Amino acid sequence: MAFGQIICYNLIMELKEIMEQGSFAVAGDTLNEEKYAFKIKQGLLEHGYTVYAVGKELSSFNDIPDEIDIIDLCINPVKGIALIKDCKKPFKCIVIQPGAESEELLSYLDENNIPYIQGCLLVGLSVYAKGKH
């Protein structure tokens, strides 16, 4: 399957593996400084990651011109599942931020064997960002 090979054992290992990737697509309101999607996008950029913003800047993951490793859902679960169902680009894993999860989303990911974790990239940046390990 094109979604990659990240195997999720526990949150610490998952975040470490995820922060070792290079390219992130952040779904959410990345233009509003008060929103977590903005803070996550800025944090990733400040640590040298390649970041694409979907939701307010790009309308779809399919609009990203390059390869992406990680999709970060920091968006209403209804919008998040729609973006994932529409996604034709390969990626390795999805990070579902607190508040972006729903039973429908988790069931869809499980049923389609799409790797994901429920976690926070801000925590990942504080512990495992490039140059910290």
Side-chain angles (χ1 to χ4, degrees):
M1 184 165 221
F3 295 108
Q5 303 266 326
I6 290 181
I7 299 173
C8 303
Y9 295 107
N10 60 54
L11 187 58
I12 293 172
M13 182 177 227
E14 292 167 359
L15 280 177
K16 185 171 193 248
E17 282 183 277
I18 284 174
M19 299 318 298
E20 290 170 354
Q21 305 305 306
S23 177
F24 289 75
V26 178
D29 188 348
T30 54
L31 298 177
N32 182 341
E33 293 181 18
E34 301 298 315
K35 299 288 187 174
Y36 281 106
F38 175 89
K39 295 172 185 177
I40 291 165
K41 175 187 159 190
Q42 290 306 114
L44 289 167
L45 288 170
E46 288 169 10
H47 284 89
Y49 294 95
T50 301
V51 183
Y52 300 94
V54 175
K56 297 288 184 179
E57 296 176 60
L58 297 172
S59 60
S60 166
F61 296 118
N62 301 320
D63 294 339
I64 297 171
D66 300 312
E67 292 184 14
I68 50 176
D69 295 317
I70 305 297
I71 290 176
D72 180 55
L73 295 180
C74 193
I75 195 166
N76 177 294
V78 173
K79 292 179 182 176
I81 194 169
L83 286 169
I84 295 300
K85 285 182 175 180
D86 180 58
C87 183
K88 306 290 183 247
K89 292 189 74 72
F91 57 88
K92 296 177 182 174
C93 193
I94 296 172
V95 176
I96 305 169
Q97 297 290 143
E101 75 284 347
S102 71
E103 287 301 317
E104 181 186 4
L105 174 62
L106 299 178
S107 294
Y108 177 80
L109 297 175
D110 288 337
E111 290 166 10
N112 290 280
N113 296 313
I114 299 172
Y116 69 91
I117 68 165
Q118 292 180 275
C120 181
L121 284 187
L122 292 176
V123 172
L125 281 168
S126 70
V127 178
Y128 299 115
K130 287 182 178 181
K132 288 202 175 215
H133 48 272

